[in-house]
DNA sequence: TCCTATATATGTAAAGTGCACATAAGTAAT
DNA sequence: ATTACTTATGTGCACTTTACATATATAGGA
């Protein structure tokens, strides 16, 4: 959220970037929720703007949809981990996300272009 | 929505661009809902991906928040129009939105950079 | 024993989204 | 005049999203 309470620009939280980022991370290597939370730092998100509950729920939802599959891992130390890996369907969706990202990038650039034209101070 | 029913990338509808685009249009000149819908084409949105209900609701919500103010206009031909104009608070919010857009643009570029690194076919 | 880190998950209220539907006034043609 | 279209503004509703708090459990170190 912005400082301004009337702005729903959501520049703080990970929001809609969550699914595509998780898919991309899981394409690189299977991982579990807690590990993914830390890896999200690569995309510019700190653990302060990531709600663990959202990550675990998102992973479960993606499993329901057949984008990922999971299995319990009790091999290593610490509590049991639910290890996720990407399915073929999940990998295909990454490309759809990339295309959507390009479209959104273009829209943002259009907005910023009009904004700068409007408020430029020569 | 994507062709893919599992993708919530929302590259079709105007979604979160609605508020900032309306504010920017109203900064240029006072306008009413129906006129704003048509002007949104400037930002790359066609009337096919704009739900009129969402526009009118968004305008009312922004008025509640003090970002815009409205008055009925019965001067011209056709049905009465609710003419909106921007408040100072609304204008300030445009700048907050622009800043948020820059952040989101950066995030998209980060995602696309990692995506291309992952899937590059030399 | 108590605290911290690791790890996963649920509960819930509030807000947002998309789609369909309702209403109404003017305009233009038959 | 009545039919149909354009202009113009809204409501209803089911569904999803979001944020924030809370619950649970294992292991390691002080």
């Amino acid at each position: 959220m912005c400082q301004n309470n009337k702005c729903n620009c959501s520049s703080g939280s990970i929001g809609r970037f969550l699914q595509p980022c998780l898919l991309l991370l899981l394409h690189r290597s299977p991982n579990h929720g807690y590990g993914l939370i830390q890896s999200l730092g690569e995309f510019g998100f700190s653990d302060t703007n990531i709600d663990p509950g959202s990550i675990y729920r998102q992973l479960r939802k993606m499993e329901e949809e057949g984008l990922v599959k999971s299995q319990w891992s009790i091999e290593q130390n610490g509590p049991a981990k639910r290890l996720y890996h990407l399915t073929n369907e999940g990998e295909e969706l990454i490309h759809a996300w990339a295309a959507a990202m390009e479209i959104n990038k273009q829209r943002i650039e259009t907005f910023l272009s009009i904004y700068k034209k409007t408020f430029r101070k020569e």
Side-chain angles (χ1 to χ4, degrees), chain A residues 3-83:
Chain A
Q3 295 95 312
N4 194 321
N5 61 337
K6 282 157 192 167
C7 179
N8 60 350
C9 29
S10 75
S11 55
S13 63
I14 189 165
R16 309 211 149 170
F17 285 91
L18 183 52
Q19 188 182 89
C21 290
L22 290 178
L23 290 172
L24 203 41
L25 286 171
L26 287 174
H27 175 268
R28 187 182 305 162
S29 66
N31 204 345
H32 60 285
Y34 197 85
L36 287 163
I37 288 170
Q38 295 164 320
S39 298
L40 283 169
E42 275 184 57
F43 294 90
F45 299 103
S46 68
D47 43 359
T48 57
N49 44 24
I50 296 176
D51 166 37
S54 300
I55 273 72
Y56 294 112
R57 248 196 283 256
Q58 181 65 39
L59 288 166
R60 294 302 211 93
K61 190 191 155 220
M62 291 198 292
E63 186 160 27
E64 272 177 44
E65 293 171 341
L67 303 172
V68 299
K69 281 186 180 170
S70 75
Q71 58 203 32
W72 284 103
S73 160
I74 48 172
E75 310 157 24
Q76 291 152 298
N77 295 336
K81 303 165 187 181
R82 191 187 282 274
L83 257 180

